[in-house]
Amino acid sequence: MNQEPNIIAAIDIGTTKIVAIVGRKTEDGKLRLLGMEQVPSIGVKRGVVLNIDETVASIKQAVSKIEEKLDITLTDVYVGIAGQHIKSLRNRGYRFIETGLEINQKDVDQLFDDNYKIPVEAGEKIMHVIPQDYIVDNEMGVKNPVGMSGRRLEGNFHIVLGRIASVKNIEKCIHRVALQLNDLILEPLASSKSVLTEEEKEAGVVLVDIGGGTTDVAVFYDGIIHHTAVIPFGGNVVTSDIKEGCSVLYKQAESLKIQFGSAMGDLAREDMVVTIPGMSGWEPKEISFKSLAYIIQARMEEIIDYVNFQIESSGCYDKVGAGIVLTGGGALLKDLPQLIKFRTGLDVRMGLPDRFIVGDLPEMAHLPNYSTSIGLVLSAMERPKRKIIEPELFGEVEPTSQDQKVKGNARRERPKKEKANYMTGNLFSGLQRKIETIFDEKDVEM
């Protein structure tokens, strides 16, 4: 692409679709979409890559379509990550400042970096560390402590964990398509970039992104993120319920959900039926709108209850002044906002990803299905390129500079396969460090 420095490419690896998207950062810091292409996703279930070869084939198809359409060659991309393996926790760290000296940026950066050293379970990786607020000598609620005088600097951080194996599988898929992976971005954070306003984040808001395999939740209050979660249920389980409840094919169940489905059984008409053609030698089936709606409502109520649990777990239920912003492909289900408002008691609005983009927009940019895809590019605009490596036994993320450029019609050279950089170090010294960190003063909440 990256033949122009302001061009950014991202790939959204979803359960139902894979989207390749390219945008340009304008001089005033806005995003101008250059193109979006999507293909059916094969090999991904509930946001996790389960079949490398099938996923690589789908990614390659999406990348080829966007390259041909824009007459460019992609070299590096940003990729979203989700899945039921994603967890979040809160951590409080502290550092002592030399007497008589003020807090500088280095102190804040060191406090931030310390979060990558906290012990995590085997096989897990720290994906994101997000500062929330700081405490200077027991003075709470400090947003930016740089320049303040104090003896003790504390910080509250939101930490997102993911499974190393899932990260490596995504890396492998991207490298097999001869692309470099700049960074992995948590999909709930990406979606929030495209549909939430700063006013909503300040007042308190919950983002609910219902995708095909997962439902992403992010809770904001006072302008900062307080909680993230990935619920392993999405629109596909609703389709599966219709398939079993109505004894129809999966593609017929999907069509029933999209064309005639409703999330409120009481609002569906009892005198309306839809006829499904039978297979060879079988009679056609008649399915009432009300029966279909009750099947959908039962599963959606379960998903909403999970969302409600995550909101309560965040401790911000009473602070969500702006309510819930609903997005994702599942948000298009008829009467779903009314059901969510009834089950949670919070106001609900539809979140569309077109409010932070300038210029002519493709039709897809006006649909909630592509909130994550567009959010990935918006998130990439605010962060430097980073290469995902694994320097320790449990893995960390380290920034590196990548300034490779290629001409528009130049042939893409397949990057050399790098050997995995495993550094086990001294087993006993590492164990000693872990034991020491157990007694660090921190406040951890899952």
Side-chain angles (χ1 to χ4, degrees), residues 266-310:
D266 292 340
L267 301 181
R269 294 185 57 176
E270 195 167 0
D271 58 340
M272 296 287 289
V273 297
V274 57
T275 302
I276 301 296
M279 293 180 290
S280 179
W282 293 87
E283 294 289 332
K285 292 186 177 181
E286 289 188 348
I287 300 170
S288 73
F289 281 25
K290 186 169 281 291
S291 298
L292 177 64
Y294 277 125
I295 293 174
I296 296 173
Q297 180 178 344
R299 177 62 74 174
M300 291 311 304
E301 285 180 345
E302 181 182 3
I303 294 176
I304 295 168
D305 288 345
Y306 274 108
V307 171
N308 215 21
F309 173 77
Q310 295 297 336

Side-chain angles (χ1 to χ4, degrees), residues 13-18 39-45 48-59 61 173:
I13 304 176
T15 304
T16 59
K17 66 182 184 302
I18 290 180
V39 297
S41 178
I42 304 174
V44 181
K45 185 176 182 181
V48 177
V49 175
L50 296 183
N51 189 304
I52 298 291
D53 292 336
E54 291 179 345
T55 305
V56 167
S58 297
I59 295 175
Q61 184 182 356
C173 291

Side-chain angles (χ1 to χ4, degrees), residues 137-161:
D137 290 348
N138 297 322
E139 186 67 34
M140 304 179 67
V142 178
K143 297 293 184 181
N144 184 8
V146 176
M148 297 181 62
S149 297
R151 183 75 179 92
R152 177 184 170 106
L153 171 65
E154 298 179 72
N156 293 314
F157 298 88
H158 181 79
I159 298 176
V160 180
L161 304 174

Side-chain angles (χ1 to χ4, degrees), residues 87-88 158 160 186 188-189 217-219 225-230 310:
K87 298 191 299 185
S88 66
H158 181 79
V160 180
L186 185 66
L189 298 180
V217 180
V219 181
I225 189 166
H226 282 267
H227 187 71
T228 54
V230 179
Q310 295 297 336

Side-chain angles (χ1 to χ4, degrees), residues 38 48-49 51 73 78 99 107 117 122 156 186 246 285 297 300 331 350 407 427:
Q38 77 165 44
V48 177
V49 175
N51 189 304
T73 300
Y78 294 82
T99 305
D107 297 321
K117 302 174 184 178
N156 293 314
L186 185 66
C246 299
K285 292 186 177 181
Q297 180 178 344
M300 291 311 304
M350 184 72 71
K407 295 183 179 180
L427 177 61

Side-chain angles (χ1 to χ4, degrees), residues 131-134 140-146 148 202 221-224:
Q132 294 188 312
D133 58 8
Y134 297 92
M140 304 179 67
V142 178
K143 297 293 184 181
N144 184 8
V146 176
M148 297 181 62
E202 185 74 22
Y221 175 68
D222 201 17
I224 57 178

